[in-house]
Amino acid sequence: METNSCLKMQVALTLLPKFNTQKYLTFIERCGGIEGFFHEKTRAFSTLLKEYQLSFSDERKSALKSAEEELKNLDLYDIRLCSVEHSNYPFLLRQCEDTPLVFYYKGQLVTESLPYLAIVGTRHASERCKIRVRTILKELAERGHRLVIVSGLAYGIDITAHLSSLTQHFPTYAVLGHGLNLIYPAPHKNIAENILRQGGALLSEYPCSSPFIPQHFLQRNRIIAGLSQATFVAESALKGGAMATAHIAASYGRDVMALPGRPEDIFSKGCNELIKQNIAALVEDSSDIACLLHLKDKKSPPQQTSFNFFDTGDQEKQVLKILTQQGCTPIDELSKNTHIAMNELIALLLKLELEGKIISLPGKNYIIS
């Protein structure tokens, strides 16, 4: 088990973002690793900075002091650290020059050898593309494949990818642009908890004390791309986080894939452009993804991917109709309007949530996904 002193130094490195990057690993190794980096005498440290032609105000002591407070957050929120010095640091992420030497996580880092697929796209996802994502992951599962799905927990394509992963029992990673003491957007807190319950993880390079700024959400895209063997852009305009992730993945030499769309659809223009520029391979169905990931079909035992506790056909339509018409609706009102017993309604709502059709919100409220 790591000492508290060692953990404190790893936390302190995340408070010095310039050095918390693979780019400076050689420099840190010259100091004797992360621990040596903080123990290095001032004069020797300055000499090394000059040798590497680095300009840096020595804030190591203040970072160590601030790290003491951050360590309390690790215990409070059950957050763990993963350092490049650890054996479970993700292999593909380790290959990227600009990825963090230390990151925070909750849940489990998958140690078995599985392909990692990033699925990204617009927050304004169309029903057509959300259905395609669900169908593709369902088909991959039916073909006997098991993948780790990586995304960013945002509205639209991201959350569809996470929910579909949970339905197919794939481990899924959500890479966040803020400290792991909170979940943004807040309505996705329940889904984040399900990710942890089903063997996935929440990841971030940012400590709980870091400011909440939009730039962090752009920076986290490189981790999504870096973790993954391939990045699949399901729907995107010409500009946006998904396009940035695709270009980063291409710069890492990773495969990029995209779902084509109609030329008149603004949120298909980015995918079409990636395909036209030969940055992304065109994806029509799961077989295209399986081919690009070099996956061979396996014989898969029958799996039940929905909860058929009772005949839900008419009841399901009732619930979906009310949520479509009324928007955000509390569970008590759903029970009253549908005349479904509360215990049956809870099971039905869980089924719909895992199928990605609805989203549960704080206060036992529900909306259409």
Side-chain angles (χ1 to χ4, degrees):
M1 182 178 290
E2 292 180 294
T3 65
N4 194 60
S5 175
C6 183
L7 285 174
K8 183 169 76 170
M9 290 176 188
Q10 291 173 13
V11 169
L13 191 64
T14 70
L15 300 171
L16 300 172
K18 178 175 181 178
F19 280 97
N20 187 31
T21 173
Q22 189 89 336
K23 182 179 179 181
Y24 292 102
L25 178 59
T26 305
F27 176 87
I28 289 175
E29 287 177 337
R30 280 288 302 276
C31 297
I34 294 174
E35 193 169 350
F37 174 84
F38 285 99
H39 283 155
E40 190 72 74
K41 299 294 185 183
T42 302
R43 180 175 293 181
F45 189 74
S46 298
T47 300
L48 277 174
L49 286 173
K50 289 179 182 177
E51 180 182 332
Y52 281 81
Q53 299 181 331
L54 298 174
S55 175
F56 175 65
S57 176
D58 193 352
E59 299 172 353
R60 290 177 296 163
K61 287 185 179 179
S62 62
L64 283 170
K65 186 175 181 180
S66 299
E68 293 177 3
E69 194 63 31
E70 192 64 32
L71 279 174
K72 297 176 184 177
N73 288 325
L74 301 191
D75 292 333
L76 181 62
Y77 298 105
D78 194 25
I79 299 170
R80 305 175 195 178
L81 282 170
C82 185
S83 158
V84 72
E85 297 173 344
H86 294 167
S87 60
N88 66 337
Y89 192 95
F91 174 77
L92 288 175
L93 191 61
R94 193 191 295 266
Q95 313 309 311
C96 307
E97 187 183 52
D98 57 352
T99 49
L101 293 174
V102 178
F103 64 81
Y104 300 87
Y105 73 98
K106 296 180 72 171
Q108 302 176 39
L109 297 180
V110 177
T111 54
E112 59 184 304
S113 180
L114 294 176
Y116 283 61
L117 174 66
I119 301 180
V120 296
T122 177
R123 287 170 168 78
H124 309 285
S126 66
E127 193 59 33
R128 174 184 71 88
C129 288
K130 288 193 287 187
I131 290 172
R132 291 304 304 142
V133 168
R134 293 178 196 134
T135 302
I136 284 171
L137 291 185
K138 182 175 183 289
E139 289 174 354
L140 286 169
E142 289 172 345
R143 295 162 73 106
H145 304 307
R146 191 161 182 264
L147 302 85
V148 179
I149 303 300
V150 183
S151 200
L153 205 71
Y155 289 111
I157 294 298
D158 285 21
I159 203 63
T160 300
H162 291 304
L163 283 168
S164 300
S165 301
L166 294 174
T167 302
Q168 304 307 328
H169 307 290
F170 292 161
T172 181
Y173 287 0
V175 184
L176 308 181
H178 51 75
L180 297 179
N181 57 318
L182 55 85
I183 294 297
Y184 178 84
H188 294 168
K189 183 178 179 181
N190 289 348
I191 298 167
E193 291 171 352
N194 282 335
I195 287 173
L196 299 180
R197 276 195 290 268
Q198 293 199 26
L202 310 178
L203 282 70
S204 176
E205 65 183 303
Y206 302 108
C208 299
S209 57
S210 63
F212 194 90
I213 57 177
Q215 184 182 353
H216 287 175
F217 290 88
L218 293 174
Q219 291 174 344
R220 63 91 185 264
N221 291 337
R222 76 193 197 287
I223 299 178
I224 294 175
L227 281 164
S228 308
Q229 185 176 331
T231 293
F232 173 39
V233 185
E235 191 172 24
S236 178
L238 285 171
K239 294 183 179 180
M243 291 293 283
T245 306
H247 285 289
I248 292 168
S251 76
Y252 291 158
R254 311 287 170 81
D255 286 324
V256 179
M257 303 172 252
L259 192 67
R262 296 175 299 188
E264 61 270 21
D265 290 348
I266 187 171
F267 291 113
S268 289
K269 288 184 179 296
C271 293
N272 292 344
E273 188 65 19
L274 289 171
I275 294 167
K276 281 196 294 184
Q277 292 183 8
N278 292 321
I279 295 172
L282 187 151
V283 168
E284 290 182 322
D285 54 34
S286 62
S287 62
D288 294 322
I289 289 181
C291 180
L292 284 163
L293 292 178
H294 307 291
L295 303 177
K296 294 182 179 180
D297 288 358
K298 302 174 183 178
K299 187 176 180 180
S300 179
Q303 292 186 349
Q304 181 175 319
T305 57
S306 64
F307 298 98
N308 296 316
F309 300 120
F310 41 79
D311 184 9
T312 60
D314 292 338
Q315 294 177 334
E316 187 174 309
K317 291 176 184 177
Q318 275 185 286
V319 170
L320 293 175
K321 181 179 180 180
I322 289 172
L323 292 178
T324 301
Q325 293 174 343
Q326 298 185 8
C328 182
T329 308
I331 191 170
D332 291 342
E333 189 174 331
L334 281 172
S335 180
K336 179 181 177 181
N337 292 341
T338 60
H339 304 291
I340 301 173
M342 186 60 74
N343 63 325
E344 292 185 347
L345 181 58
I346 290 171
L348 176 58
L349 291 171
L350 176 61
K351 171 182 178 291
L352 292 173
E353 184 178 357
L354 290 176
E355 288 177 350
K357 295 178 180 178
I358 66 172
I359 294 174
S360 61
L361 304 177
K364 297 183 179 179
N365 292 293
Y366 295 85
I367 59 171
I368 290 289
S369 173

